[in-house]
Amino acid sequence: MKRFLIIVLLLIVIGAGAYFVLNRTDKADGTAPAIAGAPANADPVARGEYLARAADCIACHTVPETGKPFAGGVAFKLPFGTIYSSNITADEETGIGRWSDDEFVRAVREGVRKDGKHLYPAFPYTSYTQLSRADVLAIKAYLFTLPKVRQPETPNDLGFPFNQRWAMGFWNAAFFRSQRFEPDASRSPEWNSGAYLAGALGHCAECHTPRNLGYGLNHRDELAGQELQGWRAYNITSDPEHGVGKWSDEALVQYLSTGYAAGHASANGPMGEAVAHSLQFLKPEDTAALVAWLRTVPPREGKDPIVVDPAPKAMVASSAVAPGGDDPTAEVDGQRLFEGACASCHQWNGAGQQTPNAGLAGTRGVNDPRGANVTQAILQGVKMRIGQTDIYMPAFGHAYSDPEVAALANYVIRHFGGKEGTVTAKDVADRRQL
């Protein structure tokens, strides 16, 4: 934290000369590629609804289960404090009802709100900066058709100097470049659509790219994975061992559309939200465009790379209803807990019973010795709606102690991933606070 503070203070000094340049309104339009679900000749409100879903606006601006749509108040716990999302309904007093077109575009693409104060990069304007003006205004048109919600913003919980919004101008000088998307003439129209969907709208890099000490994106390791809000966003580069290079097109489409790809992954946490609120609603042509773009992401190993064992000994030796092949000398509390609470849904052979999303075989979560996502799933559960199907796993955080959650997570990693998990009771206690 001391090193981080020093870097921030240096940025304040170095970026002083750039502050006034960055604190501007940019009316440049940019050239957006064709999006199948939002054709240029469509009604602006209908286009805006599709684009808002593609950008996953609702996930960050709606408190799960209890919040009113787009009224804000979602907490983002960051290394330097907690930031709460804002109300983006058209309420005149607490939302954006009095914002002009230019003010809205400026906020989305430059990170500067109506009163001239800077937004924090928890709001992904560093990606939205690529959006065309027409697409930003289509989103605004859609938001202004929704019910107005009077809900004042929740004050951020940030210590000095991070609570000084003016300092964000200097952060921008170091880590932000205002630029619109320009199609690559050497690539296909499908690829350009995928690049726009993933970069400008879906802001994939914001979760899947590690951050540097100044909390800027580390583009040298772009899309190679990082941990966010306690969940691990996995490597989605074309690396065949650690990324998605070996996934078939069909597997990628299935995962983006349903949150599950047999033998590869089952989405939960923030990725589950992205599938539930955004990706499942994409037109097939747009999903195919995303896959075309993913194929070209340069391969990178990333930090703490995961090597998937698709057929670990214990899992292969098990049937759906009975375990086999587990080391009898290993600690047994985790196996006992799995038998009592997990086996009926996930099954001992990892195939899943009620829904394919419960399948564990070959997934990266159970092959991660640190067990980030396994631990979070145990603590928080999983709840999302895909099509007409509710995907649900109960939370066990209230039922199990920290040592019990650690034992269960390590058993799952050993049995279904063939690796020795390293989850400790302290790791679990720390994750409860996230």
Side-chain angles (χ1 to χ4, degrees), residues 220-239:
R220 289 178 299 178
D221 226 8
E222 189 150 358
L223 301 173
Q226 74 150 336
E227 189 168 310
L228 187 73
Q229 301 277 306
W231 294 87
R232 187 164 182 177
Y234 296 121
N235 186 330
I236 58 171
T237 73
S238 60
D239 188 287

Side-chain angles (χ1 to χ4, degrees), residues 15-58:
Y19 175 74
F20 294 105
V21 174
L22 290 166
N23 192 24
R24 70 186 190 281
T25 298
D26 190 338
K27 296 184 180 181
D29 188 28
T31 305
I35 303 297
N41 60 353
D43 173 73
V45 173
R47 287 187 67 247
E49 180 178 10
Y50 188 86
L51 294 169
R53 274 185 165 168
D56 203 12
C57 302
I58 195 169

Side-chain angles (χ1 to χ4, degrees), residues 334-354:
Q335 181 173 344
R336 173 180 56 80
L337 291 167
F338 185 86
E339 181 177 20
C342 313
S344 61
C345 289
H346 296 289
Q347 303 187 109
W348 296 98
N349 61 3
Q353 186 172 7
Q354 290 90 341

Side-chain angles (χ1 to χ4, degrees), residues 18-305:
Y19 175 74
F20 294 105
V21 174
L22 290 166
N23 192 24
R24 70 186 190 281
T25 298
D26 190 338
K27 296 184 180 181
D29 188 28
T31 305
I35 303 297
N41 60 353
D43 173 73
V45 173
R47 287 187 67 247
E49 180 178 10
Y50 188 86
L51 294 169
R53 274 185 165 168
D56 203 12
C57 302
I58 195 169
C60 291
H61 290 276
T62 306
V63 175
E65 299 184 29
T66 60
K68 294 182 179 180
F70 301 101
V74 178
F76 294 89
K77 295 184 178 180
L78 305 173
F80 41 83
T82 302
I83 292 173
Y84 295 88
S85 63
S86 57
N87 182 342
I88 58 171
T89 71
D91 181 70
E92 290 81 0
E93 298 298 327
T94 63
I96 60 172
R98 293 179 179 172
W99 289 38
S100 70
D101 286 355
D102 283 350
E103 289 165 342
F104 187 76
V105 171
R106 186 189 193 196
V108 171
R109 299 201 306 194
E110 307 295 330
V112 180
R113 63 189 194 183
K114 179 180 174 66
D115 61 5
K117 294 183 178 179
H118 286 273
L119 297 168
Y120 291 101
F123 173 68
Y125 64 87
T126 48
S127 291
Y128 290 158
T129 185
Q130 300 178 70
L131 289 169
S132 72
R133 181 179 175 87
D135 284 352
V136 175
L137 293 181
I139 292 173
K140 179 175 181 277
Y142 165 65
L143 292 175
F144 272 55
T145 68
L146 301 177
K148 301 176 183 180
V149 179
R150 184 175 178 81
Q151 179 172 299
E153 65 179 44
T154 303
N156 296 326
D157 183 13
L158 301 170
F160 183 84
F162 308 108
N163 60 354
Q164 303 300 302
R165 285 186 181 269
W166 58 267
M168 282 305 306
F170 309 130
W171 185 93
N172 288 343
F175 301 120
F176 171 60
R177 180 184 176 190
S178 176
Q179 59 181 349
R180 299 321 140 239
F181 181 88
E182 289 296 337
D184 185 341
S186 69
R187 299 284 191 177
S188 68
E190 181 183 49
W191 183 93
N192 278 292
S193 295
Y196 189 76
L197 283 161
L201 283 164
H203 55 279
C204 301
E206 303 289 340
C207 290
H208 290 275
T209 298
R211 303 270 176 174
N212 56 35
L213 287 175
Y215 205 68
L217 293 176
N218 179 8
H219 293 291
R220 289 178 299 178
D221 226 8
E222 189 150 358
L223 301 173
Q226 74 150 336
E227 189 168 310
L228 187 73
Q229 301 277 306
W231 294 87
R232 187 164 182 177
Y234 296 121
N235 186 330
I236 58 171
T237 73
S238 60
D239 188 287
E241 191 71 32
H242 310 296
V244 297
K246 286 185 178 178
W247 292 34
S248 67
D249 286 359
E250 292 76 16
L252 288 168
V253 168
Q254 182 188 27
Y255 184 69
L256 294 171
S257 303
T258 70
Y260 176 73
H264 293 296
S266 184
N268 45 36
M271 188 63 198
E273 292 178 354
V275 174
H277 297 305
S278 175
L279 294 169
Q280 70 163 317
F281 297 105
L282 294 180
K283 294 286 187 182
E285 302 95 317
D286 290 331
T287 304
L290 275 175
V291 171
W293 170 81
L294 276 170
R295 291 297 186 207
T296 67
V297 175
R300 298 182 176 93
E301 182 178 288
K303 183 182 178 181
D304 297 325

